[in-house]
Amino acid sequence: MGFWWLVAWVAVAVLGSFLRGSPKSDPGAKPATMADIDVPTATEGRPVPVLFGSRLIENPNVVWWGDLRTVAIKSKGGGKK
């Protein structure tokens, strides 16, 4: 019984690789820039929306984002002891 499962698995894997095809790439495609990505910004003078309930805000103006702090990692790399 285990042999037929192996044969079926191999057949499905081979069939899937033939049907998958190759990805088509656009020769004129350009990599994404920061202008293409919607990230929160902090700009003086922009209004801060007040919402009730839940809603998606496109390009929010970040006023405050938690207590961000950095902590230096003080450990030595691995080596022979």
Side-chain angles (χ1 to χ4, degrees), residues 26-74:
D26 184 12
K30 297 178 182 172
T33 61
M34 288 304 289
D36 298 333
I37 301 171
D38 294 332
V39 294
T41 58
T43 307
E44 187 177 354
R46 275 181 63 190
V48 178
V50 177
L51 298 176
F52 299 99
S54 59
R55 175 149 184 188
L56 177 68
I57 302 174
E58 299 287 333
N59 295 326
N61 191 21
V62 178
V63 181
W64 180 78
W65 185 274
D67 294 329
L68 297 179
R69 58 190 164 114
T70 59
V71 178
I73 300 173
K74 297 179 182 178

Side-chain angles (χ1 to χ4, degrees), residues 16-27:
S17 67
F18 282 123
L19 293 178
R20 179 180 63 218
S22 62
K24 306 284 188 270
S25 61
D26 184 12

